[in-house]
Amino acid sequence: MKIDIYGRAILLGAIATIVGSCAAPDTRHRIVISTREQKLALLDRGNLMAIYPVSTSKFGLGDWPGSSCTPLGELEVAQKIGDHAPSGAVFKDRCRTGEIVAPDSPGRDPIVTRILWLRGRDPQTAHAYARMIYIHGTPEERNIGFPASYGCIRMRSSDIINLYEIVGRGAEVTIVDAPLTAVVPGLPSGTHLAEANRANAISPSGATTSAPSR
């Protein structure tokens, strides 16, 4: 009986894995990132849901192998990492270390909270996945709104949690060196940053050491 139960559990786990891998891609949502304005717009069927401040690369724009630049062009959400992790949870090699870091902790710059791993969809972004270009949380929230990353797109922990809960794998991501108004139809000039689901944000707590973020 124990063997039967164990075998059944393995079978159910395998079925769940197959079903999850075959889930339909998210064609409903789109992310548009303006490196010029350091803003990220979230669209639902073309309608603006929210605008978040972000931080892109301090080394400029491009997708050369081995560079620390933010790529421009068309991408998609290839993987989502960090389900149910607490705000400020530290990731190294996309695995949780068990540490939690508070925003703006002195000398701390790991990847935290959530990871959306991006895959390129055109020649301009062909190396993005291998370069491990993410949208991810950062404890360096004081630098959000300014280019400060090593290629990735950084967000406040509360904002990446909100974004992560909405978008699915396959969601389109467009990164441009232009104002959002040039890419998002109908977006009024000078649109203010939207506060999206702040009530659902989780408060970060403190921690110790980790690897640097990107």
Side-chain angles (χ1 to χ4, degrees), residues 35-36 38 54-60 143-150:
T35 61
R36 186 173 301 183
Q38 297 294 293
V54 298
S55 178
T56 60
S57 177
K58 60 184 176 182
F59 297 101
N143 291 328
I144 294 294
F146 304 94
S149 83
Y150 293 83

Side-chain angles (χ1 to χ4, degrees), residues 168-182:
R169 292 177 58 180
E172 181 181 349
V173 179
T174 303
I175 306 178
V176 297
D177 182 23
L180 288 176
T181 52

